[in-house]
Amino acid sequence: MLSRTLRSGAALTELGFGAAQLGNLYRPTTDDEARAAVDAAWASGIRYFDTAPHYGLGLSERRLGEALRERPRDEFVLSTKVGRLLVPSGYPEGTMDDGGFAVPATLRREWDFSRDGVRRSVEESLERLGLDRIDIAYLHDPDHHGEQAHAEAIPALIELREEGVVGAVGAGMNQSAMPAEFVARHDVDVIMLAGRYTLLEQGALDDLMPLAAERGVGIVAAAVYNSGLLSRARPAADATYDYGPATAEVIARANGIADVCEEFGLTLPEAAVAFPLRHPAVVSVVVGMRTADQVVGTVDRYGAEIPEGFWQALSDRGLVRDA
């Protein structure tokens, strides 16, 4: 599998393993399923793995760390995130997490983008992972904490990078405007952009993408199926988009793209995986994978041969803005 290199020197495979499902996203995943998914990813050549404390209240980090611990450490890139500390919840026994993960709520998330909070988060992630270092540390969804993110959190990550505790720093968000500010104002290495530079939506071309290319900042494209809308050959009538019901206009545009896919013998998800990698700033596409079968299917999509004429047809019909 091909890789692209950050200016920090970390080489990310073009397809990355998103480990939210290993934290029981929406429904339980067994330990065996989680381990088999990581094993299948490794066998396929995937060497970039992304997780976060938020995912299953630490369950994703623990499972991913256990599955990677026996692998040669210099052969993979691991990223996790800061901004949500995990603290004892004090909730009654049997209470389940209300953050989208099927896990007991023995812990709760506490927002903290302070210098001390960032350092504590990295230390606790290293303990859960059982690994000796973190290759990339992202601020996780600092949307409502912008002032503290600029004043404390990003400088704290840069400090940890200078100390050698983490290899590269940046932010992971569902918007492009604030990450563009981080790129403009700070010495960050990489941005994980969820849902804002996809086959369906290219708004990040107005701010983040050109700036990242100019500054040599890598972009990791996540949520490339836009909440599942692009994950099948045709969007369902009740498809979701940006974590809510998709409008008729959005579904119609997705169907227009699907029409072109069919003309070229392609599928919508194959094109969705491939599209972000056409931008010079994008270093990896991260897709959430729960089982070994999902890994195999995603790798097959990544490997699809897509002719240049397909992209030209989308552009000619006004269906995409191609960088």
Side-chain angles (χ1 to χ4, degrees):
M1 185 173 292
L2 297 176
S3 296
R4 302 185 184 186
T5 304
L6 294 176
R7 63 187 185 187
S8 66
L12 281 63
T13 44
E14 289 185 340
L15 184 61
F17 183 100
Q21 282 81 352
L22 269 57
N24 290 2
L25 180 64
Y26 303 134
R27 61 181 175 83
T29 301
T30 67
D31 290 342
D32 288 345
E33 286 175 325
R35 181 56 182 262
V38 177
D39 289 347
W42 190 273
S44 75
I46 293 174
R47 294 294 184 271
Y48 174 40
F49 300 85
D50 175 70
T51 183
H54 170 54
Y55 302 156
L57 299 172
L59 178 61
S60 174
E61 287 187 318
R62 292 194 297 273
R63 281 175 163 169
L64 186 59
E66 183 176 351
L68 292 176
R69 211 168 296 146
E70 62 195 48
R71 315 283 186 182
R73 185 62 187 89
D74 291 337
E75 291 188 15
F76 64 89
V77 172
L78 173 88
S79 60
T80 191
K81 306 178 182 76
V82 304
R84 293 172 171 92
L85 291 174
L86 303 181
V87 300
S89 67
Y91 298 151
E93 186 175 350
T95 302
M96 297 299 289
D97 176 52
D98 61 359
F101 296 87
V103 294
T106 55
L107 301 170
R108 62 176 177 83
R109 303 164 185 86
E110 186 174 273
W111 291 104
D112 193 333
F113 289 96
S114 69
R115 176 184 180 275
D116 289 347
V118 167
R119 296 184 71 91
R120 175 180 160 189
S121 183
V122 168
E123 181 180 353
E124 292 177 354
S125 286
L126 284 168
E127 291 177 2
R128 284 189 292 268
L129 290 160
L131 299 172
D132 61 347
R133 69 179 186 274
I134 292 167
D135 299 297
I136 303 171
Y138 298 109
L139 297 190
H140 200 182
D141 299 333
D143 303 71
H144 303 296
H145 306 269
E147 183 176 342
Q148 191 173 40
H150 284 292
E152 293 191 60
I154 289 287
L157 286 180
I158 291 172
E159 187 177 79
L160 287 166
R161 184 183 64 192
E162 292 171 348
E163 294 171 5
V165 179
V166 301
V169 303
M173 302 186 69
N174 293 284
Q175 58 155 297
S176 60
M178 188 179 287
E181 291 181 21
F182 292 140
V183 173
R185 294 173 54 180
H186 303 280
D187 181 25
V188 298
D189 304 290
V190 58
I191 297 293
M192 176 173 280
L193 182 65
R196 302 286 80 86
Y197 188 69
T198 70
L199 185 64
L200 192 67
E201 179 178 342
Q202 298 93 49
L205 287 174
D206 295 328
D207 44 31
L208 175 62
M209 304 304 286
L211 186 60
E214 176 188 332
R215 300 287 178 91
V217 173
I219 300 292
V220 172
V224 295
Y225 298 141
N226 282 116
S227 302
L229 184 65
L230 305 179
S231 64
R232 57 173 68 181
R234 288 280 175 179
D238 60 348
T240 57
Y241 169 69
D242 204 18
Y243 308 105
T247 65
E249 179 185 2
V250 166
I251 292 176
R253 190 162 79 254
N255 274 311
I257 297 171
D259 289 341
V260 183
C261 288
E262 289 180 0
E263 290 174 23
F264 283 83
L266 302 169
T267 68
L268 203 54
E270 286 172 347
V273 170
F275 176 78
L277 290 166
R278 292 173 53 78
H279 194 285
V282 173
V283 293
S284 184
V285 167
V286 166
V287 178
M289 293 176 254
R290 188 185 302 271
T291 66
D293 286 345
Q294 288 183 2
V295 172
V296 171
T298 304
V299 172
D300 286 346
R301 291 171 176 179
Y302 163 76
E305 294 288 339
I306 301 183
E308 189 62 31
F310 168 74
W311 305 115
Q312 189 62 52
L314 290 178
S315 179
D316 290 347
R317 299 182 199 186
L319 292 168
V320 299
R321 298 167 58 191
D322 196 335

